[in-house]
Amino acid sequence: MKQSHFFKLPRRLVPLLSGLFLLYLLGACAKTAPVFSPQGSITPTSATTLTPTSVPNSPTPTLTPTPTPTPTPAPRQVTLLAVGDDLVHGSTLNGGLQEDGTYDFNGFYRHLKDEISAADIAIINQETILGGAEFEYVGYPCFNTPDAMGDAIVNAGFDVVLHATNHTMDKGAKGVENCINFWKTAHPEITLLGIYDSPEAQNTITVVEKNGIRIAMLNYTYGLNGIPLPQGKNYLVTLLTWNNRDYIRSQIRQAKEMSDFVIVFPHWGTEYVYEPDNDQLFWTTLFAEEGVDLVIGAHPHVLEPVEWKTRPDGGKMLVFYSLGNFISGQIEAPRLLGGIAEVTLTEDENGRIQITESAVIPTVTHYSDEVGDGTYATYRLSEYTEELLRLHGIHKRAEESVFTMEDTWALARRILGDFLKE
């Protein structure tokens, strides 16, 4: 037999080598397989915040809190609303007369009540004196208006009532005293201007504070329809006359020291004229010289222009020469047109109070041919309708004019210009 060339292990080493080979195979199978990583980024669904462990013997850091910024306070602001003449003719009296003989004028203001009440300060010129029940309630020429008109003014939302007019003395000193007593006892919350029950009251400057703003208010009349003030009672009303110019200057200067803003309410001008007369221009200049901020005039019974005046001190003064009639029974179309002045006072960055908004809303007074039928009222001109116009009582009473919507709007635009708010 031919001999093999293969190496032959001794029998005793075979088991040992077989075990080593088996261990080699097991080790090869235990290798870690490569991990598959998907392409693209993965957005984690949550994040883990790691809190660092403290280091022994290391100082604890001091955290400085971020200061909370102090909010800038809103500038102080006041909204003013003012209307013209509350002129109570005989037909106006009839418009408020009730079946039981009492008077109720609340309906006169029903269409404007919300607007009046919304203002911070609402002002009305009460043209006719509330002279008391001991005198007959009458219209032109020597008026006496029931206290019920005062109640309606308050219910409408007015806060300030002007009484320095050419009709202040229509019922004499007693009528003025009765009027003052009514306001003091029935409505002490109302600020009454223009009539006084003592020299001390006349010489006291009225300052109304609202929303942190102090507003001084002064009210004067050019005259009293020739009725003299009683001897010893010159204090009842202050006249806007040449002889009183130094006194008026001194009152304005005192008002400026006591307040942030000064308003003068002059009863002045020429009736039924659409432009300021020389007397108005004289007083406008004087008011500007003394630093008045706002002038709101009454008496002409028609609208007059609004304009800015530059004062000698460089400041600005806004002048509403006349707001016309707010309530009246007058019988010519231009006298039905009145205006609501809207003025916003705002504190500027230097703490001064400035006029930041101003406008006039035109109004119209409605009364029907039957003035006691409950329709007597004042409307915004923009809310007055052709249907109401056709029912107006003026069509049977006017002697010099024709009442139309087109002419009324044209007159308002011509007089008020850019100050018109439709």
Side-chain angles (χ1 to χ4, degrees):
M1 183 173 182
K2 198 173 183 177
Q3 189 175 5
S4 172
H5 295 287
F6 287 101
F7 177 78
K8 187 174 182 180
L9 291 172
R11 182 178 299 274
R12 67 177 179 272
L13 294 178
V14 170
L16 177 61
L17 293 174
S18 298
L20 291 172
F21 182 73
L22 179 62
L23 288 173
Y24 170 79
L25 292 175
L26 290 173
C29 292
K31 284 186 178 178
T32 303
V35 178
F36 173 73
S37 177
Q39 296 297 315
S41 61
I42 298 175
T43 303
T45 57
S46 63
T48 302
T49 302
L50 299 179
T51 304
T53 57
S54 60
V55 179
N57 301 323
S58 63
T60 302
T62 302
L63 299 178
T64 303
T66 302
T68 303
T70 303
T72 303
R76 294 175 292 165
Q77 191 171 79
V78 168
T79 57
L80 293 174
L81 177 151
V83 302
D85 304 336
D86 203 71
L87 180 56
V88 187
H89 290 93
S91 61
T92 315
L93 287 171
N94 290 337
L97 184 62
Q98 307 299 296
E99 291 183 359
D100 62 0
T102 62
Y103 289 91
D104 184 344
F105 300 101
N106 286 291
F108 286 25
Y109 308 98
R110 62 187 180 273
H111 302 294
L112 297 168
K113 181 175 180 178
D114 290 346
E115 195 159 356
I116 295 165
S117 300
D120 288 326
I121 302 174
I123 305 136
I124 186 170
N125 178 59
Q126 182 52 47
E127 179 82 19
T128 53
I129 198 76
L130 312 184
E134 63 195 85
F135 302 104
E136 181 185 3
Y137 296 130
V138 292
Y140 182 84
C142 287
F143 296 82
N144 183 35
T145 300
D147 292 348
M149 179 57 81
D151 296 330
I153 284 171
V154 176
N155 293 338
F158 288 104
D159 308 290
V160 178
V161 179
L162 313 176
H163 262 297
T165 80
N166 54 309
H167 293 288
T168 297
M169 294 299 297
D170 279 5
K171 296 304 169 189
K174 184 61 175 173
V176 176
E177 290 160 359
N178 287 345
C179 187
I180 294 171
N181 185 62
F182 163 75
W183 288 113
K184 283 187 173 182
T185 57
H187 299 290
E189 75 279 13
I190 291 296
T191 298
L192 177 63
L193 296 179
I195 53 176
Y196 312 98
D197 55 9
S198 69
E200 293 75 21
Q202 183 187 34
N203 294 328
T204 299
I205 305 299
T206 297
V207 177
V208 175
E209 184 167 353
K210 188 72 176 181
N211 300 339
I213 298 177
R214 298 166 302 158
I215 304 171
M217 300 182 179
L218 302 166
N219 182 209
Y220 309 110
T221 179
Y222 76 93
L224 300 167
N225 290 347
I227 302 174
L229 287 165
Q231 187 173 1
K233 292 190 175 182
N234 288 345
Y235 56 78
L236 290 173
V237 61
T238 303
L239 297 179
L240 194 68
T241 59
W242 174 262
N243 291 338
N244 276 346
R245 68 190 185 283
D246 291 338
Y247 176 73
I248 290 169
R249 284 186 186 273
S250 70
Q251 283 211 312
I252 295 170
R253 291 171 188 175
Q254 186 180 353
K256 287 187 67 65
E257 293 176 0
M258 299 170 60
S259 68
D260 304 306
F261 193 88
V262 177
I263 309 176
V264 177
F265 299 96
H267 206 77
W268 61 358
T270 303
E271 292 182 338
Y272 318 129
V273 174
Y274 305 128
E275 297 288 340
D277 62 19
N278 289 335
D279 192 55
Q280 287 170 286
L281 296 177
F282 167 81
W283 287 108
T284 296
T285 300
L286 184 147
F287 296 153
E289 289 172 351
E290 296 300 333
V292 170
D293 299 291
L294 175 62
V295 178
I296 302 179
H299 174 66
H301 306 307
V302 293
L303 285 177
E304 290 185 346
V306 185
E307 66 176 345
W308 287 98
K309 291 288 188 180
T310 300
R311 302 186 315 221
D313 65 2
K316 295 288 188 178
M317 180 177 77
L318 184 60
V319 185
F320 296 82
Y321 285 104
S322 172
L323 294 175
N325 290 327
F326 187 61
I327 293 286
S328 85
Q330 293 200 311
I331 61 173
E332 298 300 338
R335 305 171 201 176
L336 300 177
L337 175 65
I340 300 173
E342 291 186 330
V343 179
T344 300
L345 312 182
T346 306
E347 179 184 24
D348 68 13
E349 64 276 8
N350 298 313
R352 295 173 299 193
I353 306 303
Q354 306 286 348
I355 297 173
T356 51
E357 294 181 32
S358 55
V360 178
I361 300 169
T363 62
V364 61
T365 303
H366 177 84
Y367 55 83
S368 69
D369 193 35
E370 299 293 332
V371 292
D373 65 358
T375 63
Y376 215 119
T378 297
Y379 294 77
R380 287 180 70 138
L381 182 55
S382 61
E383 297 175 356
Y384 196 66
T385 65
E386 290 285 355
E387 181 181 0
L388 284 168
L389 185 145
R390 286 193 294 271
L391 297 173
H392 205 294
I394 196 172
H395 300 304
K396 294 184 178 180
R397 303 173 66 194
E399 299 175 354
E400 301 173 0
S401 59
V402 176
F403 181 36
T404 70
M405 293 287 280
E406 182 180 1
D407 289 347
T408 303
W409 272 114
L411 182 61
R413 293 185 180 109
R414 177 166 68 85
I415 295 171
L416 299 174
D418 292 340
F419 286 93
L420 176 68
K421 179 179 177 180
E422 299 190 20

